[in-house]
Amino acid sequence: MKAPVAAATVLLALASGCGVVDRSDGYRVTVEFSDVLDLVPHSSVKVDDVTVGSVEKISLSGWTAKVRVRLDRKVQLPANATAAVRQTSLLGEKYVEVAKPTTEAARGKLTDGSVIPLARTRRSAEVEEVLAALGLVLNGGGLAQLKTINQELATAFDGREPVARDALHQLDEFMGGLDKQKADLVRAIEALDRLTGRLVQQRAVIGDALDALGPGITVLADQSTQLTGALKSLGELGTVGTRVVNESKADTVASLRALRPILDQLVKAGDDLPQSLDFLLTYPFPPNVTGAIVGDFVNLAITADLDAASILANLVAAGPRVSKAGKTATTTPRGTTKTPKPGTLAPSLPGQLPLECLPLDGILPPEWVPPKECKLPDGCKLLAPGSPVPLGGLLIPAEGLVPAGTVFPAGTKLPKGTVLTAQCLLGAVTGAVDGVVGGLTDVLTGGLTP
């Protein structure tokens, strides 16, 4: 009886050594392989070198081998687990290794009926494959060339170890920089992919454009000699121009210095020059005459204040004469002369503001407003110096004295450059003709006043 007991003991030991485990209460998973080598049913399935199941069936579907394995119910693996065909030793048996993924995060759970696809499986190299590759290298497979390459590299780096080491450090930094910019590189490649896609869509348009460029390129090629000559001539022109500029430098500087007094006078002229140019357009008429010209005739409105006594007195009195000082003297009916002093106001005429409405010294401040009983015509405004002159308006001259013909008595002082609107002028041009019909009797009696 000792022999059967010993045989049973040996069989039990062999069974234990081969890792046969009963997994009748486990769950089944299908694993796809491109090559299972000499894997056979009842082979072990291991996780971290621990047997957790066995191979139940191996089948073929096209060029893919499907291995159905049974795993222990206690084994918990993610749904994206990987599998590989391994070998226990150099000449040992094959087994299936199941492991967690290493290139991505674990997700889900491996359950009964799950499939580990071909993309997540691999196999180890066979001993025969390793020996065949080694034989290829040793049997005229380039081993002598590797020796030559090794010797040449040793000769090249001999005495240049610091330079090689620095190059390796720079290469490491370069690769590190590329790794940090990996996201930017990916975006650039994706943008390039989108660009190439659009270029593919516009391939016909690009082809037509290139075909249209052909004749132009042909013309440029035919005229390459002329273009080259033109460029050379342009270079010579630049040389001549440089020489001319250098030789005429002194004359140019002298001409600019001679122009300086003229420019200074133009600056001093200020607004007088553009205003005079405005007057030249309507010479010999003032600028506001354009509103009175209708076709080939001019409409004028004239207001005559005729007083018989004044007319007869002026007829028998002496006319105006010029004094020794060069100023106009006025003649009274009695023959006496009176020269107006600078800054004095002439008596107000019909339509003008009475002298009582003006300040005692006759100088209007910039913000002057007449008293309530003295009303200016509608639209009559004193614009600040520097304002544009409106159509029909008046610019007060440099001395600041108001000339005759405005609602202000002649001699009224305003700030230099003040602008009067057209409504401030007496008898503004309207294009209408007003008149009063009468005879000589009406003139002598003073009744011909409109």
Side-chain angles (χ1 to χ4, degrees), residues 8-34:
T9 304
V10 172
L11 291 175
L12 182 60
L14 290 175
S16 302
C18 292
V20 177
V21 179
D22 184 13
R23 298 296 182 221
S24 58
D25 59 343
Y27 58 94
R28 293 178 177 83
V29 175
T30 301
V31 185
E32 297 178 350
F33 290 100
S34 60

Side-chain angles (χ1 to χ4, degrees), residues 240-307:
V240 174
T242 302
R243 186 173 67 253
V244 171
V245 171
N246 292 333
E247 292 179 356
S248 61
K249 178 180 178 181
D251 295 337
T252 304
V253 173
S255 299
L256 293 176
R257 288 178 178 173
L259 284 175
R260 182 174 180 178
I262 300 175
L263 298 177
D264 292 339
Q265 294 301 323
L266 289 176
V267 172
K268 291 180 180 179
D271 297 336
D272 296 337
L273 181 60
Q275 291 172 0
S276 62
L277 293 177
D278 185 27
F279 178 75
L280 288 176
L281 298 176
T282 59
Y283 181 81
F285 303 102
N288 57 357
V289 76
T290 55
I293 297 177
V294 181
D296 56 351
F297 59 92
V298 178
N299 292 332
L300 296 178
I302 301 175
T303 301
D305 184 10
L306 302 178
D307 181 51

